[in-house]
């Protein structure tokens, strides 16, 4: 009996659980993105509306997720295994920390002043960098300061975006 006959006899089964789970996640992500952009008018190709890009990305993500899911039925791959929650905590925590400190917030008795990009940028990069296992604190601090300087030059000065730089210090 040849290998193809053996595979046909086994029928449809998941050969790569990691690809299968990833494909299903991409499909769910696409459905959520499309649902959230449902009310936005897409416009036409001649005059794009605010919903064109989110809907296009949702469709592309869903198609790629379906391809990945179908490929997991045909090709052998890695089994789904656990992942490091440390990386998830530091990466998402860094993004949340940036969002809370860039413009500040106030919820009841808790008040965080607007720190601006001068503080929130390095804070984001440093906190997210703690997720790496091979990190060196000196290199991480240098990287955070260099990337933040680049972001300030790009977003504040080159693109002239209204991002607060250091409202607590310079008022800008």
């Amino acid at each position: 009996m040849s290998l193809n006959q053996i595979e046909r006899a086994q029928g449809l089964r998941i050969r790569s659980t990691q690809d299968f789970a990833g494909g299903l996640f991409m499909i769910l992500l696409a459905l959520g993105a499309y649902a959230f952009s449902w009310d936005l008018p897409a416009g036409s190709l001649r005059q794009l509306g605010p919903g064109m890009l989110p809907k296009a990305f949702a469709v592309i993500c869903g198609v790629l997720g379906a391809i990945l899911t179908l490929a997991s039925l045909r090709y052998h791959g890695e089994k789904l295994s656990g992942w490091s929650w440390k990386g998830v905590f530091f990466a998402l925590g860094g993004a949340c920390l940036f969002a809370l400190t860039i413009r500040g917030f106030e919820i009841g008795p808790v008040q965080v002043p607007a720190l601006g990009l001068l503080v929130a940028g390095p804070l984001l990069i440093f906190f997210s960098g703690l997720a790496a296992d091979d990190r060196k604190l000196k290199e991480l601090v240098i990287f955070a300061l260099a990337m933040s300087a680049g972001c300030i030059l790009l977003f504040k000065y080159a693109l002239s975006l209204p991002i607060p730089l250091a409202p607590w210090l310079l008022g800008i």
Side-chain angles (χ1 to χ4, degrees):
M1 197 180 245
S2 72
L3 185 59
N4 287 338
Q5 291 172 336
I6 293 172
E7 285 191 3
R8 265 189 253 124
Q10 290 177 349
L12 273 182
R13 63 183 183 89
I14 300 170
R15 291 180 168 85
S16 174
T17 54
Q18 188 172 17
D19 289 346
F20 187 76
L24 288 181
F25 176 76
M26 287 178 67
I27 291 170
L28 287 175
L29 184 70
L31 290 173
Y34 202 85
F36 282 122
S37 65
W38 183 262
D39 294 340
L40 297 173
S44 65
L45 290 178
R46 188 174 297 266
Q47 186 174 2
L48 300 178
M52 180 67 80
L53 190 65
K55 288 177 182 175
F57 280 146
V59 168
I60 291 170
C61 184
V63 168
L64 291 175
I67 291 171
L68 187 61
T69 303
L70 291 174
S72 73
L73 302 174
R74 174 74 176 110
Y75 301 106
H76 293 282
E78 295 184 27
K79 299 235 181 267
L80 186 62
S81 61
W83 59 83
S84 170
W85 285 101
K86 182 178 85 168
V88 173
F89 171 75
F90 282 113
L92 291 178
C96 292
L97 195 59
F98 178 81
L100 293 174
T101 57
I102 186 83
R103 295 196 188 269
F105 73 97
E106 184 177 339
I107 300 175
V110 178
Q111 181 179 0
V112 174
L115 299 177
L117 192 56
L118 194 64
V119 175
L123 195 61
L124 159 73
I125 297 168
F126 183 79
F127 194 80
S128 298
L130 295 176
D133 291 327
D134 60 344
R135 69 181 176 275
K136 295 179 181 147
L137 291 182
K138 182 179 176 184
E139 291 176 359
L140 189 56
V141 168
I142 293 170
F143 179 69
L145 294 174
M147 285 298 294
S148 296
C151 288
I152 289 169
L153 290 173
L154 174 67
F155 295 119
K156 186 70 177 173
Y157 297 110
L159 297 175
S160 299
L161 294 178
I163 296 175
L165 186 58
W168 49 273
L169 177 66
L170 307 171
I172 58 172

